[in-house]
Amino acid sequence: MTTSMADERRGQLEQYLQKVTMEPNMLRSDVFVDFLKLVQLDTFSITTKTASLDIFLPDGRNIQIEILTSDTAERVLEVASHNIGLCQELLSYFGLFLIRFCKEGKLSVMKKLADFELPYVSLRSAGVENCKVGLRKWYMDPSLDSMLMDCPAAVDLIHMQARQDIEQEWANPTQAQRQKLEALQKENNQTKFLELSQEVRHYGYLQLDPCTCDYPEPGCGAVLSVGNDEISCCITLPDNQTREIRFQMSRVKCWQVTFLGTLLDMDGPQRTLNQNLELRFQYSEDSHWPWFVIYTKQAFLLSSCLKKMISEKMVKLAAKNPEMIEVPEQGKRKKYHIQQSQKDSSRFLPRKSKTEIAKADCVFGTIKEEDL
């Protein structure tokens, strides 16, 4: 087998493994999940053993739990939730994330851990400083807060996250709202605090790191906030003026994530890594369907958020017209079986020289020669 043939086959195998993990029927197979666990352990040469894992809460505290290095994110979430008294039937509203704690108290949500991923392995292989496993709510519709109000532990968690999002300036209360929220916080009235938070701009949204986009022209800086059935973009124009644009999910036809690789810049005293992913989506605008391109290392996370918003929308439609759409009961950890009009896909470009895989977003790492 020639070098070019091996590279082509390696790329095809990696593409297959990435795509097959998106198939719900496969992820319900214990045999397949066991295979995925074995691949992750083998890729990073980690053996199954007992270990301690810190799970960080939105208020900065952490809980230490005893796990196996081969425990999946689904299992670790169950253990962590039991530790803090979170009702098991509400687990589908929460998830584990890889979070990077940056300078000046800022944080960056790197990715949502899939149920089959091994948090211990993902953390060890992230290759990023100050990276931790965090517990956060995992729904994009802020009104779903109401589903958690009967569980004190759940209310405590979403209250922590609401405060954190305001401190991080992901949610932007007016001065009057901020004063009322501070008064409610002093009274320790979490329920009223969360009710008022529903009125705050971008409450319940997930904000991505600064990135670039091609709208209204290539190379514009952008800060994306995703939630409540929309993509909100604060775009910096070439003349340094800012413009806010909102893309409603109901007008998004489809999207795709393209893996560009991580190009090594050899110029200068240090080697630097350029952005390696893009997400592009097709959007209805004045009877046309243009593509909008976003260059961000968090493209997979953004794609997960878009999927989540569509799933939540379908659940609402099913509640209104149960005979039209069949979905599992809310609260059970199952995948939705829904015929969606909006679709997503992943596309991997051919490998190039001086290109590396973005290990923070890939579960399996590079396929070796002997694996071909």
Side-chain angles (χ1 to χ4, degrees), residues 298-316:
Q298 295 165 296
F300 286 119
L301 174 63
L302 176 56
S303 178
S304 296
C305 292
L306 301 187
K307 291 180 188 177
K308 195 67 173 176
M309 287 192 286
I310 291 177
S311 296
E312 291 169 359
K313 182 178 180 181
M314 291 299 177
V315 170
K316 283 189 173 182

Side-chain angles (χ1 to χ4, degrees), residues 26-94:
M26 297 297 289
L27 295 181
R28 281 192 291 270
S29 166
D30 291 338
V31 173
F32 188 69
V33 171
D34 286 343
F35 164 73
L36 294 179
K37 290 166 60 175
L38 181 61
V39 169
Q40 293 173 75
L41 291 169
D42 183 64
T43 297
F44 299 103
S45 302
I46 295 176
T47 59
T48 298
K49 61 182 180 181
T50 303
S52 296
L53 182 67
D54 289 329
I55 306 295
F56 283 79
L57 304 179
D59 66 350
R61 293 182 294 125
N62 70 285
I63 55 175
Q64 188 175 85
I65 59 176
E66 296 296 320
I67 63 165
L68 294 176
T69 55
S70 58
D71 280 343
T72 62
E74 185 174 24
R75 172 58 181 164
V76 172
L77 179 60
E78 291 173 352
V79 175
S81 65
H82 177 76
N83 188 291
I84 62 177
L86 180 63
C87 299
Q88 295 294 299
E89 59 269 21
L90 298 180
L91 286 186
S92 61
Y93 293 97
F94 295 89

Side-chain angles (χ1 to χ4, degrees), residues 26-27 45 59 97 111 116 127 138 189 206-207 227 234 368:
M26 297 297 289
L27 295 181
S45 302
D59 66 350
F97 297 79
K111 67 180 294 186
F116 67 84
W138 179 229
N189 193 331
L206 191 150
Q207 187 177 113
C234 183
K368 303 175 183 178

Side-chain angles (χ1 to χ4, degrees), residues 97-100 102 106-111 136-140 161 164-173 201-211 222-228 230-234 244 294 296-299 301-302 305:
F97 297 79
L98 280 187
I99 301 175
R100 181 166 56 91
C102 310
K106 295 294 183 180
L107 61 85
S108 169
V109 179
M110 297 173 57
K111 67 180 294 186
R136 295 175 58 86
K137 66 182 183 182
W138 179 229
Y139 52 89
M140 311 306 296
Q161 187 168 327
Q164 183 187 62
D165 288 353
I166 292 173
E167 292 171 358
Q168 293 288 322
E169 298 182 344
W170 292 7
N172 310 114
R201 177 175 175 269
H202 286 173
Y203 169 72
Y205 287 50
L206 191 150
Q207 187 177 113
L208 304 186
D209 297 343
C211 58
V223 176
L224 274 61
S225 297
V226 190
N228 202 19
E230 70 173 15
I231 308 169
S232 177
C233 303
C234 183
E244 183 172 358
I294 301 166
T296 170
K297 295 179 181 179
Q298 295 165 296
L301 174 63
L302 176 56
C305 292

Side-chain angles (χ1 to χ4, degrees), residues 58-260:
D59 66 350
R61 293 182 294 125
N62 70 285
I63 55 175
Q64 188 175 85
I65 59 176
E66 296 296 320
I67 63 165
L68 294 176
T69 55
S70 58
D71 280 343
T72 62
E74 185 174 24
R75 172 58 181 164
V76 172
L77 179 60
E78 291 173 352
V79 175
S81 65
H82 177 76
N83 188 291
I84 62 177
L86 180 63
C87 299
Q88 295 294 299
E89 59 269 21
L90 298 180
L91 286 186
S92 61
Y93 293 97
F94 295 89
L96 296 179
F97 297 79
L98 280 187
I99 301 175
R100 181 166 56 91
F101 290 79
C102 310
K103 296 179 180 179
E104 300 177 355
K106 295 294 183 180
L107 61 85
S108 169
V109 179
M110 297 173 57
K111 67 180 294 186
K112 161 75 170 59
L113 293 177
D115 284 349
F116 67 84
E117 288 189 65
L118 311 183
Y120 181 89
V121 176
S122 297
L123 186 61
R124 291 281 299 273
S125 61
V128 178
E129 293 183 355
N130 299 320
C131 183
K132 302 173 182 178
V133 177
L135 173 60
R136 295 175 58 86
K137 66 182 183 182
W138 179 229
Y139 52 89
M140 311 306 296
D141 182 355
S143 68
L144 290 178
D145 281 0
S146 61
M147 304 297 293
L148 311 179
M149 302 310 290
D150 291 334
C151 176
V155 172
D156 196 29
L157 279 173
I158 61 177
H159 172 254
M160 291 180 205
Q161 187 168 327
R163 292 185 60 195
Q164 183 187 62
D165 288 353
I166 292 173
E167 292 171 358
Q168 293 288 322
E169 298 182 344
W170 292 7
N172 310 114
T174 63
Q175 186 60 34
Q177 289 172 335
R178 188 180 297 275
Q179 291 175 354
K180 291 179 181 178
L181 289 170
E182 289 174 353
L184 292 170
Q185 182 59 36
K186 290 180 180 179
E187 297 172 6
N188 197 28
N189 193 331
Q190 295 181 335
T191 302
K192 291 294 184 182
F193 186 100
L194 291 170
E195 289 177 359
L196 179 57
S197 296
Q198 293 283 333
E199 304 172 12
V200 173
R201 177 175 175 269
H202 286 173
Y203 169 72
Y205 287 50
L206 191 150
Q207 187 177 113
L208 304 186
D209 297 343
C211 58
T212 58
C213 65
D214 72 342
Y215 183 86
E217 55 185 280
C220 289
V223 176
L224 274 61
S225 297
V226 190
N228 202 19
D229 209 32
E230 70 173 15
I231 308 169
S232 177
C233 303
C234 183
I235 298 175
T236 302
L237 303 175
D239 59 3
N240 288 327
Q241 293 185 354
T242 59
R243 180 192 302 179
E244 183 172 358
I245 302 174
R246 295 184 176 184
F247 299 99
Q248 300 297 322
M249 283 301 297
S250 59
R251 297 172 63 185
V252 173
K253 181 180 181 180
C254 60
W255 71 89
Q256 66 181 28
V257 174
T258 303
F259 182 75
L260 303 175

